[in-house]
Amino acid sequence: MKDLQFKRHRRLRSSANMRALVRETHLHVDDFIYPIFVVEGENIKKEVPSMPGVDQISLDHLKAEMDEVVSLGIKSVLLFGVPVEKDEVGTQAFHDHGIVQEATRFIKEHYPEIIIVADTCLCEYTDHGHCGVIEGGKILNDPSLDLLAKTAVSQAQAGADIIAPSNMMDGFVAVIRKGLDEAGFEDVPIMSYAVKYASAFYGPFRDAAGSAPQFGDRKTYQMDPANRLEALREAHSDVEEGADFLIVKPTLSYLDIVRDVRNEFNLPVVGYNVSGEYSMVKGAALNGWIDEKTIVLEMLTSMKRAGCDLIITYFAKDAARWLAE
């Protein structure tokens, strides 16, 4: 053996402190954006059946939720609204007293330092569950853009720090940027769902947000999961139109796309650790098949390693506790 020449890689794995010393990727609570589902009504705290540990909450429960978020050191939340009334154009999405707008005002009044990211879409608010205007069974692109811009401006007026349009209509960043600028919100950034696939991993979210399409699917506006180069075309368009962040959604099965986007652009890259990814881990953990803490931290670390600067995740509270340990 003395005459053999080979590398001693294990020298840098010899102890926990040695491994920590040379660790290349680090998770931090500041990396997390925590999604919250706010519903209209009173005294509502209802666990989403397909997402153990995730609740739909009414405004009167929002303070308790935010107290926990703040106590864990989480600095950013993503707000989704679940209205009582829905119509064909999603009027409650851009209503001055819509549920996201009211939740935003409440959080800004009581927790002014928290960064509020407002999901800007119509699917939770339309009676057909699609992300735009419908005519003859077709989702119309350009008429939908006007409504999305109205929604973004309404959310910014309520105090949202970041607008996050998730609809995947062509030109949505350009129209929303123009609408925000004309309304005096030049300094409000856009966190674009730049690369959003028509994924089966969204199923539990549609339970949480009540946003399942009532007919057809979203494959005419969300991306084909088989496509890679298309992701860069989509992201390039959004950068040219004024995006400030680029989201890749989902993340776990699309880490190659995260790395492509990270290598191509110098904007912050955001991974969305979506509901299906969450529910699979939770379900396996509840059955005792996996070690949830170890799996989750490994999964989130893989997203950071692939190139995510930020991670939207339903595991944010759990991960914050584990990291604090």
Side-chain angles (χ1 to χ4, degrees), residues 37-41 57-60 62 79-84 92-106 124-125:
F37 297 96
V38 188
V39 301
E40 291 185 328
I57 59 172
S58 51
L59 286 175
D60 49 326
L62 188 53
L79 295 183
F80 294 97
V82 185
V84 171
Q92 291 300 312
F94 46 86
H95 196 287
D96 287 344
H97 296 286
I99 186 60
V100 164
Q101 288 80 354
E102 292 295 337
T104 298
R105 293 187 185 98
F106 177 89
E124 300 104 302
Y125 307 92

Side-chain angles (χ1 to χ4, degrees), residues 18-325:
M18 181 66 78
R19 292 189 293 273
L21 184 68
V22 298
R23 186 162 293 137
E24 300 172 27
T25 305
H26 295 269
L27 275 179
H28 193 274
V29 68
D30 289 350
D31 301 330
F32 303 141
I33 300 172
Y34 182 58
I36 298 176
F37 297 96
V38 188
V39 301
E40 291 185 328
E42 295 181 356
N43 196 28
I44 299 171
K45 185 176 182 182
K46 178 183 177 184
E47 186 174 65
V48 179
S50 56
M51 298 179 70
V54 174
D55 297 316
Q56 294 177 329
I57 59 172
S58 51
L59 286 175
D60 49 326
H61 283 278
L62 188 53
K63 186 177 189 305
E65 179 80 347
M66 290 305 303
D67 283 344
E68 184 181 18
V69 166
V70 171
S71 72
L72 292 169
I74 297 168
K75 297 179 174 62
S76 306
V77 296
L78 172 60
L79 295 183
F80 294 97
V82 185
V84 171
E85 296 182 5
K86 302 187 179 190
D87 59 31
E88 61 182 6
V89 295
T91 303
Q92 291 300 312
F94 46 86
H95 196 287
D96 287 344
H97 296 286
I99 186 60
V100 164
Q101 288 80 354
E102 292 295 337
T104 298
R105 293 187 185 98
F106 177 89
I107 294 172
K108 277 302 170 187
E109 179 181 354
H110 295 91
Y111 312 90
E113 299 305 315
I114 287 286
I115 295 294
I116 298 175
V117 185
D119 179 75
T120 306
C121 198
L122 302 176
C123 60
E124 300 104 302
Y125 307 92
T126 55
D127 53 16
H128 47 72
H130 279 285
C131 304
V133 176
I134 302 294
E135 184 176 296
K138 182 178 179 180
I139 297 90
L140 302 183
N141 194 87
D142 295 8
S144 302
L145 296 177
D146 295 335
L147 300 181
L148 292 164
K150 288 177 65 175
T151 301
V153 171
S154 176
Q155 292 169 337
Q157 288 171 337
D161 298 286
I162 299 172
I163 297 301
S166 58
N167 54 90
M168 288 298 283
M169 296 293 118
D170 291 336
F172 69 96
V173 173
V175 173
I176 288 173
R177 182 73 271 159
K178 182 174 184 289
L180 289 171
D181 291 353
E182 290 178 349
F185 295 108
E186 299 92 344
D187 295 330
V188 173
I190 295 175
M191 181 181 287
S192 171
Y193 285 69
V195 181
K196 183 177 180 180
Y197 287 91
S199 172
F201 283 99
Y202 302 151
F205 172 89
R206 292 170 183 170
D207 290 340
S211 60
Q214 297 304 300
F215 67 91
D217 54 41
R218 294 176 178 150
K219 293 180 180 179
T220 65
Y221 47 104
Q222 295 177 359
M223 287 175 50
D224 184 338
N227 290 357
R228 183 177 182 181
L229 297 179
E230 183 184 4
L232 296 180
R233 297 199 298 272
E234 286 279 1
H236 270 291
S237 294
D238 289 3
V239 170
E240 291 168 0
E241 292 172 16
D244 301 283
F245 302 79
L246 300 173
I247 296 176
V248 177
K249 180 183 181 182
T251 301
L252 189 60
S253 292
Y254 297 85
L255 295 178
D256 58 324
I257 307 301
V258 171
R259 174 47 56 186
D260 287 342
V261 173
R262 171 73 289 154
N263 289 343
E264 187 77 11
F265 304 100
N266 59 12
L267 294 178
V269 176
V270 185
Y272 198 141
N273 178 205
V274 299
S275 59
E277 297 166 353
Y278 172 88
S279 296
M280 288 191 303
V281 173
K282 278 291 184 182
L286 289 170
N287 277 287
W289 297 335
I290 60 171
D291 180 333
E292 182 179 358
K293 172 183 174 180
T294 304
I295 288 284
V296 170
L297 293 180
E298 181 178 341
M299 184 170 64
L300 296 176
T301 298
S302 77
M303 296 173 188
K304 281 292 296 287
R305 189 184 65 243
C308 292
D309 299 290
L310 301 167
I311 303 171
I312 302 167
T313 178
Y314 305 99
F315 287 115
K317 293 193 293 186
D318 290 334
R321 291 188 187 94
W322 294 328
L323 292 174
E325 296 172 1

